[in-house]
Amino acid sequence: MSGKGIVHLVGAGPGDPGLMTARALELIARADAILYDRLIPPGALDGARADCDLRYVGKEPGNAAMAQANIDALLVELGRSGLEVVRLKGGDPFVFGRGGEEAEALAAGGVAFEVVPGVTAGIAAPAYAGIPVTHRDAASAVAFVTGHEDPEKGSKDSASMQNPSRAESALDWDALARFPGTLVFYMGLKNLPLIAERLIDAGRDAREPVAVVRRGTHPDQETVTAPLEQIAQRVAAAGLRAPTITVVGAVAGLRDTLAWVERRPLHGRRIAVTRARAQTSGLAARLRALGAEVAETPAIRIEPRAVEGELARAVAEIAGYALVVLTSPNGAQLLFDALLASGLDARALAGVTVAAIGPGTARELERHGVRADVIPPRSIAESLAEELEGVEVEGRRVLIARASEARRVLPDALAARGAEVDVVALYDTVAEPLSDAQREALAAADAVTFTSSSTVRFLLEALGSDRTALDGARAVSIGPVTSATAREFGLEVATEATRHDIDGLVDALIEDAAR
Ligand code: SAH
């Protein structure tokens, strides 16, 4: 609790988690309580504190979890009790979000509040459909309109003109038809036939382009376009369901040339990522940026070893090794943790030749101020063994610091050349159980990625005897060792990366999607 109460009215954006603002994420991470709506992005609350009071107050069409008056009262009550409260809403809080009413209630109740604008669906959904809502040649104005109200209610001289508080509930169809620019309708799906009819009756061009965008900015976004006179029929035929944004205006025609979401190489692909949760985010973000829907189904978890016994000894004597080999980004990170824990730092490696398997491992070393001397062209142990042939190891000490379970290729190759090899475990790779939701996400996936033998082994272990969740997914492997493990366990490998690192895996997924 932070002393003086405040309520933040926060926009969470239209659905793509990447469109949440930095301010929104910061406040979610800090809040004592969060009251949230239905249309917030998936994972929007992931950053909330473990002890945060999370309350769902959304409104399903026709089935409100909590009436608006009660939400207003609850916000005032929580604010008064001294809490820092986030009121999280889809899109922007002040665009058809009833944020205005909530702010009024807070003002009347004497509770401090702050507004954090969000990316509103009326701009974002068209943008993701390749439609700019304004354009120098096609629209110099844009109107945001609610399509929720009964269109029978509105007319030029209705209450909306005299009574601004009713402005949302009675539309002036003549004015809308004459409006010199783009019309963007929120909440308008059910009324689409009437909206189109009213606009045409009031003089809007029946051939004007219209686009209806469903679940804009989500991976399963859908768009239907047609002239105004046909749009209702086409949307019905396509079976679109809410939530949708309807864009009426010449700009809707620009989609033909500007559609970009559908052109991304992994558009429409559902890809499961099985590597450790701590490592999924980078890969997942890249796949999402390429258009994929990513299911995070970590099969493994990294458990660092305590710095004691042979690990402590190896670290204390690290300057005495002629060669130190790191085989994964985790290993590189944990070696530095161990160095620091032992009162050492990068200088301990000053006279040591350092080898790294994989660009990610090399990057992790660089983050700690050490540039690897040897990086093999292919990110597998065999390639490193070859590459190290130029390094003098006979009679010298070599440290291979890596996972507890790993292949013997490298230690054997170096020992055969007369090196005195210490293989030390920095961490254990352990199984991560699969939740029912993850099992379902896996079953829906088009492709499942394996980035190491342990991801194969532990995923199959987590699935147990029922492997049907993998039936519809193409297995994509990072390299020959992982593929061999997959085959050993009876999995058919659809594609293997040519480069055995994350870039190579992403390329393999793109090629696989193009087939
Ligand atoms: N405050 C929100 C709007 C809330 S009203 C905002 O600024 O975006 C709810 C309506 O928003 C829905 O009926 C639908 O018309 C629209 N909407 C919200 N998210 C959407 C999405 N991802 N795609 C299409 N329309 C969306």
Side-chain angles (χ1 to χ4, degrees):
M1 189 147 70
S2 37
K4 206 152 167 295
I6 182 165
V7 175
H8 306 276
L9 300 169
V10 180
D16 178 346
L19 296 178
M20 293 178 72
T21 63
R23 181 75 177 141
L25 295 174
E26 178 193 335
L27 290 171
I28 287 167
R30 224 167 63 188
D32 299 309
I34 301 178
L35 275 63
Y36 61 97
D37 277 350
R38 191 167 54 99
L39 291 178
I40 62 169
L45 302 173
D46 287 357
R49 279 168 22 204
D51 63 342
C52 178
D53 180 5
L54 295 176
R55 303 196 198 192
Y56 173 67
V57 295
K59 303 185 194 71
E60 321 279 330
N63 177 18
M66 192 184 276
Q68 187 62 42
N70 296 341
I71 298 176
D72 296 351
L74 181 59
L75 285 174
V76 171
E77 181 194 318
L78 293 173
R80 278 194 184 147
S81 67
L83 298 179
E84 177 152 17
V85 182
V86 164
R87 171 71 177 109
L88 194 63
K89 294 166 163 296
D92 180 274
F94 275 8
V95 179
F96 302 124
R98 305 193 73 164
E101 291 159 66
E102 293 174 7
E104 284 176 317
L106 292 164
V111 175
F113 64 90
E114 180 192 278
V115 183
V116 180
V119 178
T120 188
I123 293 174
Y128 273 50
I131 299 169
V133 291
T134 72
H135 188 284
R136 245 174 95 85
D137 304 326
S140 47
V142 54
F144 293 143
V145 187
T146 172
H148 182 57
E149 291 302 322
D150 181 355
E152 302 293 343
K153 221 185 324 193
S155 79
K156 185 158 59 194
D157 47 15
S158 77
S160 68
M161 293 287 113
Q162 291 105 46
N163 180 352
S165 72
R166 293 196 36 81
E168 270 190 25
S169 57
L171 297 174
D172 180 340
W173 295 101
D174 290 335
L176 289 175
R178 274 199 319 272
F179 182 74
T182 310
L183 301 175
V184 175
F185 287 92
Y186 289 69
M187 302 169 280
L189 187 64
K190 211 172 91 223
N191 283 331
L192 189 58
L194 282 166
I195 290 171
E197 193 187 309
R198 286 285 171 281
L199 287 173
I200 293 169
D201 286 353
R204 197 105 186 171
D205 183 355
R207 285 155 310 171
E208 187 166 41
V210 179
V212 176
V213 187
R214 168 172 199 264
R215 277 179 55 82
T217 81
H218 287 274
D220 58 346
Q221 166 178 323
E222 286 174 83
T223 305
V224 173
T225 53
L228 185 55
E229 60 191 349
Q230 283 167 25
I231 189 68
Q233 190 195 332
R234 296 275 275 278
V235 163
L240 282 200
R241 285 173 302 130
T244 60
I245 285 288
T246 299
V247 186
V248 179
V251 289
L254 293 172
R255 171 172 164 77
D256 294 342
T257 35
L258 299 186
W260 56 274
V261 157
E262 294 82 352
R263 290 185 196 143
R264 292 180 301 173
L266 295 178
H267 174 71
R269 299 290 288 175
R270 282 187 283 219
I271 300 173
V273 173
T274 57
R275 67 200 314 218
R277 191 182 304 282
Q279 292 176 296
T280 47
S281 57
L283 175 58
R286 282 188 52 190
L287 297 177
R288 287 191 181 109
L290 292 165
E293 187 169 349
V294 178
E296 296 187 21
T297 55
I300 57 171
R301 188 158 41 84
I302 303 302
E303 274 194 355
R305 287 266 177 106
V307 186
E308 55 190 30
E310 56 175 9
L311 174 56
R313 213 162 30 247
V315 168
E317 293 168 8
I318 199 147
Y321 288 98
L323 172 68
V324 171
V325 179
L326 279 319
T327 63
S328 70
N330 281 316
Q333 168 67 47
L334 291 172
L335 179 68
F336 278 94
D337 288 352
L339 281 172
L340 290 180
S342 315
L344 297 168
D345 61 24
R347 287 171 296 180
L349 291 166
V352 179
T353 299
V354 176
I357 297 186
T361 310
R363 264 197 305 277
E364 192 60 36
L365 283 168
E366 253 177 52
R367 255 182 14 93
H368 292 279
V370 172
R371 185 160 295 166
D373 301 289
V374 185
I375 306 171
R378 298 192 309 134
S379 301
I380 54 172
E382 285 80 354
S383 182
L384 181 61
E386 255 176 61
E387 201 69 8
L388 285 174
E389 270 160 26
V391 176
E392 185 52 63
V393 292
E394 192 176 349
R396 300 201 179 173
R397 296 185 69 195
V398 172
L399 173 64
I400 302 175
R402 61 184 193 182
S404 55
E405 277 175 59
R407 295 185 307 142
R408 298 284 323 162
V409 174
L410 198 57
D412 288 353
L414 291 165
R417 290 174 48 207
E420 196 186 312
V421 182
D422 291 337
V423 180
V424 171
L426 289 162
Y427 58 93
D428 295 294
T429 306
V430 301
E432 181 89 280
L434 274 184
S435 69
D436 288 348
Q438 285 171 329
R439 202 178 269 263
E440 263 171 49
L442 198 59
D446 305 304
V448 53
T449 60
F450 294 107
T451 45
S452 65
S453 291
S454 55
T455 59
V456 175
R457 208 146 35 81
F458 286 120
L459 184 74
L460 291 175
E461 198 168 286
L463 286 173
S465 56
D466 180 10
R467 290 190 184 181
T468 47
L470 286 178
D471 285 353
R474 297 168 61 78
V476 178
S477 143
I478 197 166
V481 181
T482 303
S483 300
T485 307
R487 290 190 193 103
E488 211 175 284
F489 281 87
L491 268 188
E492 191 189 324
V493 177
T495 313
E496 180 183 291
T498 330
R499 277 179 51 200
H500 314 310
D501 53 35
I502 293 302
D503 287 343
L505 184 75
V506 172
D507 287 345
L509 284 163
I510 292 172
E511 268 165 45
D512 193 56
R515 296 167 6 112

